[in-house]
Amino acid sequence: MKKIIENIFARPAAAGMVGDGFRVYQYFPGPKSFFPQKISPFLMLDFNAEIDFSPSDTVRGVGVHPHKGFETVTVAYKGAVAHADSAGNAGVINAGDVQWMTAGAGILHKEHHDEAYSKKGGPFEMVQLWVNLPKKFKQTPAKYQAITNDDMGRAELADNGGYVRVVAGDFNGVKGPAFTFTPINMFDIHLNKNGNLTTSIPASHNTAILVVNGDVEVNGAHAAEHSFILFRNEGEEVTIRANEDSVLLFLSGEPIKEPVASYGPFVMNTQEELLEAMQEFNSGKYGTLE
Ligand code: MN
């Protein structure tokens, strides 16, 4: 049975800045978004739709800040982001790469434009997702997975229709490399004009598609550039056909049916745990990062 579409939302009207390096439309949740609910296990989606940054000698971005109790997933389409964290990890997320960072028990990190990109300027296009952790894994040690193009699963579509890069989960038998704490599918879909695909996702998964670029038909409904398709938990089959060359971010996951208590960069289950997280942060428990 076809997966039923709940709604197709146009891009939120207003963008906001994260630090001075990311100009994002917050698709969910939050006051600027078009729907307030989180779609568990996904907590937040910030889309830096393509913009040109001018060349700069100082790198733009966000300075040192904490996270606890969930994961941040950064998908780089254009431009490059340098990151460093208090667990001693550092690197560059280049176009085509995904960084899957598990904040878990707590971490400090910073996210800036890569220096080489910064000097040159030019197109910049990214998504950052926040993915919740179930209660039993909120205290897991912080870590990150750098997932490059070569690591990803790749499915070629029939009739020169394009390709699907599988970051996490399973697309028609092709598996993604990301380790996830709950069942999640994350696909980077590239369709050529008139290309199409069909896949099946469990009805129990919360499921959504962001049209990063292009123009598509999803289960017969039209979805324009930057629109966001949210499905109901009814039906399994998703068919997509591209009206022009298109790039889509496909997300689905088994909902985590636990209470969510969140404040800024901390996402726990209770108010008490939130207070604890802030105390840990204030007492330097998440380590140091310059
Ligand atoms: Mn962050």
Side-chain angles (χ1 to χ4, degrees):
M1 181 190 155
K2 261 192 192 176
K3 200 176 271 300
I4 307 298
I5 293 174
E6 168 69 24
N7 207 342
I8 299 179
F9 300 94
R11 192 182 72 192
M17 291 301 294
V18 178
D20 62 358
F22 306 93
R23 182 176 173 275
V24 302
Y25 296 94
Q26 187 158 99
Y27 278 60
F28 64 87
K32 288 196 184 104
S33 78
F34 40 64
F35 66 100
Q37 77 267 36
K38 304 165 171 80
I39 52 167
S40 180
F42 309 106
L43 296 163
M44 188 204 82
L45 191 158
D46 270 355
F47 177 33
N48 189 134
E50 182 175 338
I51 50 165
D52 271 0
F53 280 103
S54 57
S56 172
D57 286 331
T58 56
V59 290
R60 301 177 175 100
V62 211
V64 177
H65 60 279
H67 289 296
K68 177 174 182 164
F70 65 103
E71 303 181 287
T72 65
V73 180
T74 306
V75 185
Y77 293 99
K78 288 171 185 163
V81 173
H83 70 93
D85 68 44
S86 54
N89 302 306
V92 176
I93 312 163
N94 287 299
D97 295 347
V98 171
Q99 185 210 43
W100 200 296
M101 187 187 82
T102 306
I107 196 166
L108 305 177
H109 79 157
K110 54 184 181 181
E111 302 156 274
H112 287 90
H113 293 182
D114 169 55
E115 201 176 337
Y117 162 77
S118 205
K119 284 201 160 76
K120 201 167 68 203
F124 191 87
E125 189 177 49
M126 302 263 160
V127 164
Q128 188 168 87
L129 271 169
W130 287 11
V131 178
N132 206 2
L133 288 169
K135 186 175 177 60
K136 65 177 172 186
F137 294 120
K138 282 193 184 286
Q139 300 290 354
T140 195
K143 64 165 186 173
Y144 85 97
Q145 304 171 73
I147 302 167
T148 63
N149 186 45
D150 292 342
D151 302 328
M152 289 178 200
R154 189 176 163 112
E156 300 296 332
L157 301 174
D159 305 321
N160 194 31
Y163 60 92
V164 177
R165 299 193 314 152
V166 185
V167 178
D170 181 318
F171 175 83
N172 297 355
V174 178
K175 305 255 194 283
F179 171 83
T180 64
F181 288 86
T182 57
I184 287 173
N185 290 303
M186 183 169 159
F187 311 143
D188 173 37
I189 298 174
H190 293 250
L191 287 170
N192 296 326
K193 184 177 179 178
N194 297 323
N196 68 84
L197 65 80
T198 296
T199 192
S200 185
I201 302 291
S204 60
H205 276 212
N206 287 334
T207 305
I209 301 170
L210 172 66
V211 183
V212 175
N213 292 125
D215 191 280
V216 294
E217 308 290 327
V218 178
N219 286 356
H222 176 236
E225 185 158 79
H226 296 177
S227 62
F228 184 86
I229 303 122
L230 180 66
F231 294 89
R232 283 187 201 162
N233 297 95
E234 284 177 63
E236 296 84 26
E237 203 176 277
V238 178
T239 295
I240 306 171
R241 195 180 63 75
N243 297 319
E244 52 187 78
D245 290 359
S246 297
V247 177
L248 312 174
L249 179 62
F250 188 108
L251 303 167
S252 89
E254 202 64 60
I256 299 169
K257 292 173 177 159
E258 295 172 350
V260 175
S262 66
Y263 181 78
F266 307 115
V267 183
M268 304 302 291
N269 299 108
T270 66
Q271 291 298 320
E272 207 169 40
E273 290 166 346
L274 277 182
L275 279 174
E276 210 172 83
M278 282 179 257
Q279 281 159 3
E280 287 169 357
F281 167 57
N282 288 328
S283 67
K285 204 187 158 201
Y286 300 160
T288 53
L289 182 67
E290 298 207 340

